Amino acid sequence: MSETSNKSRRAFLRGAAAAGAGTVAAAATARAQAAPDPLITEVQPWASGLGEGVDATPYGLPIRFESDVIRRNVPWLTADPISSINFTPIHALDGTITPQGCAFERHHSGAIELAKQDFRLMINGLVDQPLVFSYEDLERFPRINRVFFCECAANTGMEWAGAQLNGAQFTHGMIHNMEYSGVPLRTLLEEAGVKTEGKWVYVEGADASSNGRSIPLEKALDDVLVAFKANGEALRMEHGYPVRLVVPGWEGNMWVKWLRRIEVVEGPVESREETSKYTDTLADGVSRKWTWVMDAKSIVTSPSPQAPITHGPGPLVITGLAWSGRGAVSKVDVSKDGGKTWETARLANPGEPMALTRFYLDTTWDGSEMLLQSRAMDETGYVQPTKAMLREVRGENSVYHNNCIQTWWVKETGEAENVEVS
Ligand code: MTE
Ligand code: CO
C-alpha cells in the first residue's frame, strides 16, 4: 500500500470511529471473548468436502441465500401480467448499477423474443436517404458507454392520495440504472441526413403495442443512444433485446424497446401515440402534457419497510438513491425527524448526470423511533419537494411524475412503515 493510501485509510478509520464505529468494535471484541463459537472452532460442512466444479452453472445465478432479491409485482395494480409492471428490489441492492436480472419491467403487450438476425431498424421520413440497418450494421458504427437511470413516469404513482405500498421496492422500484453500450442516435440520423423540415422523430418498437413515441429532434441529436448492451452483456429480452432506445433523464416510456423504426417528422405524431396516458393532472383538473424530464428525487432504501434495522442502538448506516433527469445530484440531505432537521449525506459517486447516485449517512442510532426522509438537490439548484408542496400543484388524483419526499417511520423495534407527515 502506498504512503498516501495508508494516510487516507487512517483518516478514514478516525472518521469512522467518530461516527460511532467504536460500538461495532466493542461488539466484535465481546464476540471474540465469548464462549467458543463453533463457527470458528469446529470444522464446518463447507470445509469438510469439495465445492462445486467450474462448469456447474455456465451462466451464474445468485447464491440461493439471496433468493428473495427479486423483482416483484403488485397483482391488483394491473388487470393481467402482460400489460403490466414489476419492481426492482432497490431495498436489497447497494452501489448504483442494477443487475439486469432484477431490473423492473414494463410492457404494454408483453416481452417479445426477437432474434438478432430478424432485427431491422429503419430510418425514414424527412431524410435525404432512407436506411435500413441490420444488427451487424449497428455494430460497425463507433459506440460509446454511458450509465443512465430509466424511471417509469408512473414510479411512486400510487402514493398521491396517501401512504399506500409498504416498501421502497413498491413505492420507488420502477427504476433501474445500467451501463449502456450503443451508437449515438445522432450518428445514424446524420448517416440518413435529416431534411430541414424534420423537427421530431417518431420511434416505434417491434412488439404488438409498438409503444410509438414522438421525441423532439433536439433531444434525438443530443444524447439519445441506440443501445445493444447493458452492464456489459446483451440486453435481456424483457429490456428490449436486441436493441433499445436510451433517452437519458427522460421518462421510461420514451425508451422504446425492440427498436424497429425511426421516422423523421415535422411535428409530434400524437394520433399514433397514447399521449393522453402520459399527462399530469393538476389540482384544478387540467392536464399537462410533454413533461418528459424526470425531476430530482431520492429514497432511503435502508432502513425501510423491507429492510428493517436488525441490530441494537449504535452505529447505523442509512443509505439510499438519488437522481435527477436534469443533470447530476449535487447534495442529499437526510432527516430523522420528519423534515424538522437535516444532515448532509455522503455521496458515493457524485457528479454522474442522469444516473443513480448512492448516498450514505453513517450515523449513530440511539434506539428511538425516527421519521426518516431524504431530500435531493441537483446541479440546477432544484430541490426535491415535500408531498404537501407537490399536492398543492398536482392534487391527489395524479398518477405520473410523483417525485415527493418519502417518509419511513422507523420504530424502536427497528421495523419501518410507509407514512406521511403533515
Ligand atoms: N417499448 C416497447 N416497445 N414496448 C413497451 O411496452 N414500455 C415503455 C418503455 N419502452 C415499452 C417500451 C415503458 S412505459 C417503460 S417505463 C420502459 O420501457 C421500461 O423499460 P424496462 O422494461 O426495460 O424496465
Ligand atoms: Co413506463
Side-chain angles (χ1 to χ4, degrees):
M1 194 185 274
S2 74
E3 181 52 23
T4 34
S5 63
N6 251 324
K7 261 189 208 140
S8 55
R9 186 160 178 276
R10 276 198 298 274
F12 169 77
L13 289 174
R14 272 200 305 279
T23 326
V24 175
T29 311
R31 201 167 285 139
Q33 290 166 351
D37 181 348
L39 280 171
I40 299 167
T41 57
E42 280 166 32
V43 177
Q44 297 296 323
W46 51 86
S48 20
L50 301 175
E52 256 182 14
V54 285
D55 282 336
T57 330
Y59 192 98
L61 288 170
I63 194 163
R64 63 192 165 94
F65 310 126
E66 298 293 318
S67 60
D68 61 337
V69 184
I70 49 169
R71 299 185 274 234
R72 289 187 177 83
N73 79 7
V74 176
W76 55 261
L77 266 184
T78 52
D80 62 69
I82 306 296
S83 179
S84 192
I85 187 136
N86 58 20
F87 301 86
T88 308
I90 52 170
H91 64 287
L93 302 176
D94 212 321
T96 57
I97 297 295
T98 316
Q100 286 201 73
C102 67
F104 88 95
E105 312 164 60
R106 168 74 176 111
H107 320 303
H108 291 82
S109 51
I112 56 164
E113 219 174 43
L114 176 62
K116 278 179 189 165
Q117 61 271 25
D118 297 332
F119 170 84
R120 298 286 184 276
L121 172 60
M122 175 183 287
I123 298 193
N124 67 339
L126 299 170
V127 290
D128 299 331
Q129 179 64 56
L131 297 170
V132 175
F133 302 99
S134 68
Y135 185 86
E136 266 188 345
D137 293 336
L138 289 184
E139 283 186 311
R140 298 175 66 186
F141 287 98
R143 71 186 89 123
I144 59 172
N145 295 283
R146 293 278 186 282
V147 177
F148 295 116
F149 75 80
C150 171
E151 183 182 19
C152 181
N155 198 20
T156 322
M158 292 76 74
E159 303 291 312
W160 281 103
Q164 178 80 234
L165 298 170
N166 217 22
Q169 176 167 23
F170 304 111
T171 56
H172 289 74
M174 291 185 201
I175 192 160
H176 52 61
N177 193 64
M178 306 192 196
E179 184 202 45
Y180 295 98
S181 311
V183 177
L185 177 54
R186 181 187 192 100
T187 307
L188 304 182
L189 288 172
E190 281 173 352
E191 198 76 9
V194 175
K195 294 209 160 97
T196 45
E197 316 89 84
K199 295 285 179 269
W200 291 66
V201 291
Y202 177 72
V203 186
E204 272 177 357
D207 53 332
S209 82
S210 92
N211 194 76
R213 289 290 177 271
S214 301
I215 302 175
L217 188 65
E218 202 185 2
K219 178 71 174 172
L221 292 176
D222 181 17
D223 53 6
V224 174
L225 286 181
V226 173
F228 36 86
K229 294 278 163 74
N231 301 341
E233 63 178 357
L235 286 164
R236 297 284 168 88
M237 173 175 86
E238 58 269 37
H239 302 300
Y241 181 94
V243 177
R244 88 172 304 166
L245 207 64
V246 167
V247 189
W250 287 29
E251 56 189 22
N253 68 76
M254 327 279 285
W255 294 48
V256 177
K257 302 191 277 191
W258 314 291
L259 195 59
R260 174 177 178 271
R261 195 170 70 91
I262 297 172
E263 183 182 342
V264 179
V265 287
E266 262 176 86
V269 190
E270 292 187 73
S271 57
R272 283 185 275 168
E273 289 185 53
E274 305 166 80
T275 40
S276 57
K277 269 194 66 188
Y278 293 100
T279 53
D280 296 335
T281 310
L282 303 181
D284 60 6
V286 169
S287 286
R288 180 173 66 181
K289 64 177 184 177
W290 291 356
T291 48
W292 301 301
V293 183
M294 302 309 289
D295 280 317
K297 186 165 169 180
S298 68
I299 180 71
V300 171
T301 53
S302 176
S304 67
Q306 298 161 287
I309 304 176
T310 53
H311 56 74
L316 171 69
V317 173
I318 298 173
T319 187
L321 294 166
W323 59 96
S324 168
R326 298 188 193 274
V329 168
S330 53
K331 186 167 180 262
V332 178
D333 290 331
V334 172
S335 176
K336 296 171 184 161
D337 53 15
K340 291 193 195 97
T341 61
W342 296 92
E343 293 169 68
T344 299
R346 171 168 63 88
L347 303 186
N349 59 323
E352 284 187 40
M354 298 169 285
L356 291 189
T357 301
R358 169 67 56 181
F359 66 85
Y360 296 101
L361 186 73
D362 309 297
T363 190
T364 304
W365 183 42
D366 61 9
S368 59
E369 62 175 20
M370 297 183 279
L371 289 169
L372 265 190
Q373 297 184 333
S374 64
R375 177 178 70 183
M377 274 145 271
D378 70 18
E379 59 184 332
T380 69
Y382 177 92
V383 182
Q384 186 183 357
T386 63
K387 205 163 188 176
M389 285 160 72
L390 210 55
R391 276 191 185 137
E392 268 177 39
V393 191
R394 302 279 308 282
E396 292 188 5
N397 295 319
S398 278
V399 176
Y400 300 110
H401 294 270
N402 184 348
N403 69 324
C404 74
I405 292 173
Q406 169 69 39
T407 312
W408 302 130
W409 171 34
V410 181
K411 303 170 197 176
E412 288 166 350
T413 58
E415 289 158 311
E417 212 176 284
N418 181 4
V419 296
E420 287 186 5
V421 291
S422 44

